[in-house]
Amino acid sequence: MKILVCITNVPDTTAKISFTDNDTKLNKNGVQFIIGPYDDYALARGVEIKEQNGGSLTVLHVGEADAEPQIRKALAIGADDAIRVNADPQDSYFVAAQIAHIASQNSYDLILMGRESIDYNSGVVHGLVGEMLGIPSYSPVMKLDLEGNNATITREIDGGKEVLKAHLPLVLGCQEPIAEWKIPNMRGIMTARTKPLNVVEPVSVDDMTVPQTYKLPAPKGACKMIPASEAETLIKLLQTEAKVL
Amino acid sequence: MSILIYVELDNGSIKKTSLEAVAYGAKVASQTGGQAVVLALGKADNAELEKAGQYGAVKVLHAADAKLDHENSLAYADALVQAATQEGSKIIILSKSGLGDAMAARAAAKLKAGIVSGVTALPETDGGFKVTRAIFTGKAFATTEIKSDIKVLVIRKNAIEIDEAALSSANATVEAFQPALRESDFTASVVSVDKADSELSLAEAGIIVSGGRGMKGPEHWQPLIDLARALGAATGCSKPVSDLDWRPHHEHIGQTGIKVAPNLYIACGISGAIQHLAGVNGSKCIVVINKDPEAPFFKAADYGIVGDVFEILPKLTEAAKSLK
Ligand SMILES: Cc1cc2nc3c(=O)[nH]c(=O)nc-3n(C[C@H](O)[C@H](O)[C@H](O)COP(=O)(O)OP(=O)(O)OC[C@H]3O[C@@H](n4cnc5c(N)ncnc54)[C@H](O)[C@@H]3O)c2cc1C
């Protein structure tokens, strides 16, 4: 079993977002970066599958060198080696093209990643990679069981879930409760230091989309408080003032 | 030139978010001097599909092959590409959902098209093609120029305001469409589908009543459900609530759950952690009921009541019932 887990390097969920350089760049000052929470689920399930079935797990990140602490963390959690495609990606298409290029040279059985990155929230990289490789892609996957080359997948659909049986190789976008997030232990942290982290240059891809500017939402107005003793008056206000009923 | 809009069907009806996509596509068509063509896959009546005309579509391509009755993003993306090629469409529009993103991604890779997901407003089309989308789970917005010849847009709920009173009475013509289906798109088998049919879906809902750990346990959910019924609302919950199995996972709202954008979001006993807020910041109006006046959720709310949910919910339900 050869597994590839793709991870993003994103601001922590509690980070305060702001922009610099005339609103053309994210202000990274004081922002804590983490492995994307959905990618963390993918990684945890990947590690479990490797432990049960044997094989290898490679972690892949398309991005700059400042992501290396997060890549080392993934190695400490249980990946065997890592690849960083050295680029500052502009869009999902670029990232997917890099992943597909690496994958086309390595014939992975399973390519796992989060259902979406929590910075740009597009949720399209797994689909793009699947199509670029000509293999099926499914998302969001909540449960994954393997028997040889057959996968049983539980996927969330609008208002419920669907169980599918599919054949490897597959590209899957993962979410909870596929596995519990793993915290690296001391031994993992020690061995991660010497595991290979290969840096490769990107393949060239046409500019599909180019980000221009960023902005923050307009600040929220004050909250109108209603005394608990007059709670029922809220409904009238929602109808006549807020006009949402 | 035509704009191609894919509409999702739910039991043969076009989903509300997809009708928004049609209206959005029709506006883009008038901006760029083209016409709006709709693609529908799977079982649906002509009368239902013609309705796309009221939202500005000229024509609906309908592939009624029974193999397409069950949602299959691989085959659907193939059909979308074939429809785009047949119609010469340079702009393809879908509404944001798991299916919408999956189809859009696979179609974009096939067509070598730039793809932007999470679009919140109509594009700017003079001097390049620029769209604005929500990023950082609604904490910010990005304006992006799409450079490629073919463009794929996945739009968020409320990306366009629809005035139901001002809909046209025009019907779209429905045309049979027969995409070539590839065996390789049907290699997976569906073992089971478990869908709460009777419930309103969160993604589509105009009103959501949502509960957090302050609801104390699954056995105390009835007052919340009663209010939801009285308002015709869907029910949602915070992450710990679905983690504890008090409510099903598909109700989990937030950064790691579903992102919603209703007209009205009523939060009952939810503290308002930043990861929860990330899933609701697209709501038009937020009501917070919490016994703790310091709960962070009040900072993101339009209306707030400090008090015990179990005393307040029945009062609201009574008042909501007397509205009708
Ligand atoms: C990476 C990451 C991702 C996350 N993703 C999500 C996510 O997607 N969605 C999400 O919701 N959370 C998410 N969380 C968890 C989040 O941080 C909070 O822990 C969670 O939202 C809290 O849920 P809660 O408000 O229901 O519970 P609590 O924080 O325990 O709040 C309960 C609230 O109920 C109030 N209360 C209690 N009794 C009553 C009563 N009788 N009447 C009125 N009010 C009462 C209390 O005052 C309190 O404010 C995530 C966390 C992390 C680290």
Side-chain angles (χ1 to χ4, degrees):
Chain A
M1 180 76 47
K2 262 182 94 169
I3 305 170
L4 180 70
V5 177
C6 309
I7 62 169
T8 55
N9 177 44
V10 293
D12 173 44
T13 52
T14 59
K16 198 166 155 49
I17 299 301
S18 64
F19 302 100
T20 61
D21 293 37
N22 278 328
D23 289 335
T24 58
K25 278 203 173 64
L26 176 69
N27 181 4
K28 294 187 178 179
N29 230 329
V31 174
Q32 166 87 37
F33 278 75
I34 57 169
I35 298 176
Y38 293 114
D39 309 325
D40 235 348
Y41 287 120
L43 177 64
R45 188 64 190 129
V47 169
E48 288 171 2
I49 291 172
K50 190 197 93 167
E51 281 168 359
Q52 285 156 16
N53 299 266
S56 67
L57 192 157
T58 300
V59 60
L60 170 61
H61 174 68
V62 182
E64 296 181 302
D66 57 3
E68 293 200 356
Q70 279 63 256
I71 301 175
R72 287 282 171 212
K73 185 180 171 196
L75 291 168
I77 285 172
D80 299 299
D81 57 354
I83 303 170
R84 181 172 69 80
V85 178
N86 186 32
D88 180 13
Q90 301 259 308
D91 67 4
S92 311
Y93 202 102
F94 180 92
V95 173
Q98 306 308 325
I99 297 172
H101 175 73
I102 302 276
S104 66
Q105 299 176 323
N106 287 283
S107 62
Y108 298 103
D109 301 294
L110 203 52
I111 301 176
L112 304 177
M113 62 186 80
R115 64 174 286 179
E116 68 182 42
S117 71
I118 65 160
D119 49 4
Y120 296 106
N121 310 112
S122 290
V124 297
V125 170
H126 30 78
L128 286 164
V129 171
E131 185 63 40
M132 287 169 180
L133 294 171
I135 61 177
S137 52
Y138 296 103
S139 177
V141 176
M142 302 167 71
K143 195 164 183 284
L144 168 64
D145 291 308
L146 293 178
E147 244 187 87
N149 263 337
N150 298 314
T152 307
I153 296 163
T154 304
R155 209 170 66 82
E156 190 153 67
I157 52 173
D158 195 11
K161 48 195 173 186
E162 171 188 82
V163 181
L164 289 171
K165 276 197 191 303
H167 309 291
L168 302 182
L170 292 170
V171 182
L172 304 177
C174 304
Q175 73 170 27
E176 60 170 16
I178 193 163
E180 302 247 355
W181 286 328
K182 291 195 191 311
I183 299 160
N185 58 27
M186 213 30 171
R187 211 182 88 90
I189 295 167
M190 299 302 287
T191 52
R193 288 187 192 155
T194 53
K195 287 180 179 172
L197 194 173
N198 301 308
V199 179
V200 301
E201 291 305 311
V203 289
S204 92
V205 179
D206 288 343
D207 271 349
M208 295 292 186
T209 73
V210 181
Q212 310 267 307
T213 52
Y214 300 101
K215 67 168 191 255
L216 297 173
K220 190 96 188 168
C223 175
K224 187 165 189 168
M225 299 306 292
I226 295 156
S229 55
E230 295 163 23
E232 61 285 351
T233 60
L234 170 72
I235 299 293
K236 253 271 106 53
L237 286 173
L238 292 175
Q239 188 180 35
T240 55
E241 192 179 78
K243 298 192 171 47
V244 289
L245 287 183
Chain B
M1 189 193 64
S2 75
I3 311 288
L4 182 65
I5 304 119
Y6 168 71
V7 293
E8 277 187 49
L9 300 175
D10 184 21
N11 279 321
S13 307
I14 303 176
K15 287 191 182 177
K16 224 172 104 199
T17 41
S18 288
L19 289 172
E20 285 185 16
V22 176
Y24 184 101
K27 273 269 160 43
V28 178
S30 66
Q31 269 175 267
T32 57
Q35 55 170 13
V37 176
V38 162
L39 174 69
L41 303 170
K43 200 169 162 185
D45 292 338
N46 272 9
E48 172 67 17
L49 297 176
E50 284 170 357
K51 226 170 72 180
Q54 299 168 13
Y55 296 82
V58 177
K59 175 166 86 174
V60 178
L61 301 176
H62 181 211
D65 193 316
K67 280 181 102 175
L68 297 172
D69 280 349
H70 184 79
E71 175 181 321
N72 176 334
S73 58
L74 310 180
Y76 282 19
D78 258 337
L80 181 64
V81 168
Q82 291 175 49
T85 310
Q86 173 185 310
E87 298 296 316
S89 316
K90 298 288 188 199
I91 301 174
I92 302 174
I93 294 166
L94 304 93
S95 53
K96 187 146 176 91
S97 70
L99 176 63
D101 277 331
M103 287 175 69
R106 296 198 70 110
K110 276 187 221 278
L111 294 164
K112 301 220 175 345
I115 174 172
V116 177
S117 179
V119 175
T120 56
L122 285 165
E124 287 171 42
T125 48
D126 27 71
F129 190 99
K130 292 179 194 151
V131 287
T132 297
R133 65 177 168 139
I135 57 171
F136 294 102
T137 334
K139 283 196 249 178
F141 297 91
T143 302
T144 300
E145 180 171 5
I146 311 184
K147 297 267 195 189
S148 54
D149 180 34
I150 303 181
K151 303 166 177 69
V152 179
L153 271 53
V154 187
I155 66 161
R156 280 230 302 196
K157 189 159 177 269
N158 297 339
I160 189 166
E161 195 82 43
I162 293 184
D163 183 358
E164 295 285 341
L167 291 180
S168 101
S169 56
N171 277 340
T173 16
V174 178
E175 231 174 62
F177 174 61
Q178 273 153 340
L181 300 179
R182 295 192 307 178
E183 258 331 293
S184 59
D185 288 339
F186 294 90
T187 53
S189 55
V190 178
V191 180
S192 64
V193 178
D194 171 12
K195 207 169 162 179
D197 258 340
S198 53
E199 285 174 38
L200 257 168
S201 111
L202 277 175
E204 299 274 301
I207 306 178
I208 295 170
V209 185
S210 190
R213 208 142 53 179
M215 293 297 296
K216 306 264 190 298
E219 67 281 17
H220 302 304
W221 233 259
Q222 200 54 45
L224 189 156
I225 295 170
D226 290 343
L227 177 62
R229 290 233 172 93
L231 293 171
T235 54
C237 67
S238 68
K239 176 170 153 68
V241 165
S242 73
D243 285 350
L244 290 162
D245 265 336
W246 293 1
R247 299 295 298 169
H249 187 271
H250 65 259
E251 285 197 1
H252 159 196
I253 292 171
Q255 179 112 48
T256 47
I258 175 164
K259 282 90 186 161
V260 296
N263 287 330
L264 174 59
Y265 186 79
I266 304 181
C268 310
I270 304 179
S271 58
I274 194 156
Q275 298 94 350
H276 187 81
L277 296 183
V280 303
N281 53 22
S283 311
K284 276 198 191 134
C285 177
I286 294 180
V287 172
V288 169
I289 306 166
N290 197 304
K291 67 173 186 191
D292 173 9
E294 301 297 320
F297 219 146
F298 286 117
K299 289 205 179 67
D302 298 285
Y303 296 93
I305 304 179
V306 176
D308 183 353
V309 274
F310 299 106
E311 279 166 29
I312 289 159
L313 279 172
K315 287 192 194 174
L316 297 181
T317 306
E318 276 312 303
K321 278 185 184 154
S322 60
L323 265 188
K324 309 272 151 71

